[in-house]
Amino acid sequence: MAFSFTPDMDNVYSIGSFDAKTYFSELLRRVQGGAVFNISKNGKNVAVLRGVKTVKNEAAFSAHKRILERGKKMAEMRNKEDLSAMSVKEIKELKDAGRKF
């Protein structure tokens, strides 16, 4: 492959718009493998090329992060005091914190 792209972070790369146009099919192949490309024009980011699975993975990672945060909060409460001292209302608020509906 004749074009160059630089990694910004894990599996996220920057590429110029000319190279993105020229090597679009190669970029699609890499996107299917989980890569994400920030496409720039004149040194400014103008677009992001990412796969559908990547978007779904980000939603899953976000949900996982929220669950871990709630778990840490409950662990802190457990260390401070006995969980049996929590009211039913406090337990319900913790349970419903991450629900959308």
Side-chain angles (χ1 to χ4, degrees):
M1 185 166 14
F3 72 96
S4 65
F5 50 89
T6 55
D8 291 340
M9 57 185 101
D10 290 337
N11 229 17
V12 177
Y13 302 92
S14 290
I15 187 169
S17 62
F18 180 81
D19 285 338
K21 173 192 67 91
T22 305
Y23 299 102
F24 187 69
S25 60
E26 174 65 18
L27 296 182
L28 288 179
R29 187 182 67 75
R30 290 179 182 249
V31 165
Q32 283 180 322
V36 176
F37 289 91
N38 290 322
I39 302 171
S40 61
K41 186 168 185 166
N42 298 325
K44 296 181 181 177
N45 287 338
V46 293
V48 177
L49 181 63
R50 70 177 69 211
V52 175
K53 289 182 180 178
T54 306
V55 173
K56 290 179 183 176
N57 287 345
E58 287 177 2
F61 289 137
S62 175
H64 182 257
K65 185 177 176 181
R66 288 192 313 269
I67 290 169
L68 289 177
E69 288 172 358
R70 275 187 243 118
K72 286 179 185 177
K73 184 175 179 179
M74 289 196 72
E76 289 173 5
M77 294 173 109
R78 190 176 331 136
N79 290 339
K80 289 181 187 177
E81 58 188 71
D82 185 20
L83 282 181
S84 62
M86 290 178 63
S87 70
V88 173
K89 183 179 178 183
E90 290 172 323
I91 294 172
K92 183 169 174 42
E93 286 173 359
L94 281 174
K95 181 181 80 171
D96 293 338
R99 293 189 177 177
K100 292 181 182 180
F101 303 103

